[in-house]
Each structure stands twice: as C-alpha cells, then as structure tokens.
Amino acid sequence: MKTLDEWWGHRVDLDFRSLEPDTVADLLTGAGFTVTARLERDPYPEEAPTRRGYLLARRT
C-alpha cells in the first residue's frame, strides 16, 4: 500500500492498493457484475513501476 499526504500542491489523505485484475474480476462476477471491458498496461515513465489494470463492469 502506498499513502500520499500531498498531491499537486494540496493536502490529501490518499491510499493506493495494488490488486490483481483477475482477483477483482472474480469478485465482481461473484457479486453479480459482468466484466464488459478490461485493459492492462505497463506504467508510464512518471508512474510507480507497477502494471495498471482497469475493469469496466455492469450489474446484471
């Protein structure tokens, strides 16, 4: 987990958690959602060196 207390010149209380896209997709499906789109990418140079995953899900 990563925590920020300042971002773009503003005080924030923000936590980041790294989750596996397959795990999140399974949890969404188990909760009655259908994953309709999925994208995974490598980080941009200015980002932390972790892969990114994005899921779009619809309640069924």
Side-chain angles (χ1 to χ4, degrees):
M1 179 172 72
K2 178 178 172 119
T3 301
L4 292 179
D5 58 8
E6 187 276 330
W7 197 9
W8 295 342
H10 298 276
R11 290 193 50 77
V12 296
D13 183 8
L14 185 60
D15 295 328
F16 294 89
R17 288 179 172 65
S18 297
L19 304 171
E20 292 294 327
D22 287 338
T23 301
V24 176
D26 289 345
L27 291 168
L28 286 166
T29 300
F33 288 81
T34 300
V35 175
T36 59
R38 178 184 184 133
L39 171 71
E40 292 185 49
R41 67 169 177 83
D42 290 326
Y44 298 134
E46 67 275 7
E47 294 178 325
T50 58
R51 284 193 50 81
R52 305 300 197 263
Y54 304 91
L55 300 171
L56 179 64
R58 174 177 286 161
R59 183 86 174 162
T60 51

